[in-house]
Amino acid sequence: MAEVSGGAGVRPGGAPRRGRPGHDQASVLRVAIDLFNRQGYDATSVGDLARELGLTKSAIYHHVPSKEHLLERALDEALGELSSALDAVGAEASYSPEQRLRAAVRASVVVLAGHLPAVTLLLRVRGNTPAEQAALARRRDIDQRLAEMVREAADAGAIRDDIDPLVISRLIFGMVNSLTEWLRPDGEAEALADTVATLAFDGLTRHR
Amino acid sequence: MAEVSGGAGVRPGGAPRRGRPGHDQASVLRVAIDLFNRQGYDATSVGDLARELGLTKSAIYHHVPSKEHLLERALDEALGELSSALDAVGAEASYSPEQRLRAAVRASVVVLAGHLPAVTLLLRVRGNTPAEQAALARRRDIDQRLAEMVREAADAGAIRDDIDPLVISRLIFGMVNSLTEWLRPDGEAEALADTVATLAFDGLTRHR
């Protein structure tokens, strides 16, 4: 079975205890995210995570203070990557509004593919805990930035104006987010980003 | 608080017991679906459902044999409606493959909007129970029928052939399914179906 990492963990109020090699905080986080995605965060206990890792519950607490701490770190990863990607797109001063929107669609796909478990978890949180509510608030900020990019492209006459930009934003980024339902971690992120952007901008219809 | 319906329920192995007016099986199912969607099926107990309805656990068992039975009925509702809608689309012999695909996109939106809580629950099941696994198998059948419609439209030269039909199917119906994330139950289903079909076929780009 898997074993605890080396390195001396310090439990709150306890003496330093030497762990066994095999896990570090990052690998515990990976396993936790997969477990949360598989059986749901609410339905997953620290005991479940310990069993999955082949550890005792007290060994888990060498690595992480709580289940919620793992959730927060996972959601931070997804939200941080998405925010950074939009910052980078927004900083491209030479982009037209349409180019910016296309870049935002592509960047969203690339982040999703590159951080698939964390983004999947983010898209499933329902706000049942303070950590989830905080993540939902940050996600709403990101959704608003994306909606603003759609609106700017519509205002510039660069995209169709017969559909409410907010609805466009929800549908296009809903399509992006739906990738979490079937994408495999080894997916070709850049090619997929091109495919999604092509479908979003040009649609299904064959243009002869 | 809400009260139990009239009508004498019979518990397995027990004597008939008279309930109180206020709930019938259908209304218990509605409340259960909303609760499952809000806090997750796995994390919801029959006790939670009883509290939500203002009933005792034994009163709940007047109406439904188990939590899993409620899940099965909810998933049956969503899957039955989706299957019937695709049957109707498939029975339109006069449709071209492109018209059939467009009708399938529209019908999916209309079913989703008309059965929003049940479809939302369907799209969240992860296969943790036999009932969920059976629903996932039926959902895969539906997805295959949709993918086949995309393939037929592509084979007929009616839609673009530079993207794998399976990927198109997943992205377009992923966009449809993402409606569960934001649609309100009073949404305008027919207008929304037109919007989604327009965006799917024509894309964002303004055609002058």
Side-chain angles (χ1 to χ4, degrees), chain A residues 14 42 67 75 94 99 110 128 134 147-148:
Chain A
D42 293 327
K67 179 175 99 155
L75 299 178
S94 65
Q99 288 172 321
V110 170
N128 293 334
E148 189 54 35

Side-chain angles (χ1 to χ4, degrees), chain A residues 38 124 126 128 157 159-161 163 168 170-171 174-175 178 182 198 200-207, chain B residues 38 124 126 128 157 159-161 168 170-171 174-175 178 182 195 198 200-207:
Chain A
R38 212 156 65 228
R124 290 188 187 162
R126 295 282 159 245
N128 293 334
I159 63 168
R160 61 189 318 130
D161 59 4
I163 303 177
I168 286 182
R170 284 169 164 169
L171 289 172
M175 178 166 74
S178 75
W182 58 273
T198 296
F201 278 83
D202 298 342
L204 285 171
T205 303
R206 176 193 288 264
H207 297 290
Chain B
R38 212 157 66 229
R124 290 188 187 162
R126 295 280 159 248
N128 293 334
I159 62 169
R160 60 188 318 129
D161 59 4
I168 286 182
R170 285 169 163 170
L171 289 172
M175 178 165 74
S178 75
W182 59 272
T195 295
T198 297
F201 279 83
D202 299 342
L204 286 171
T205 302
R206 175 193 288 264
H207 296 290

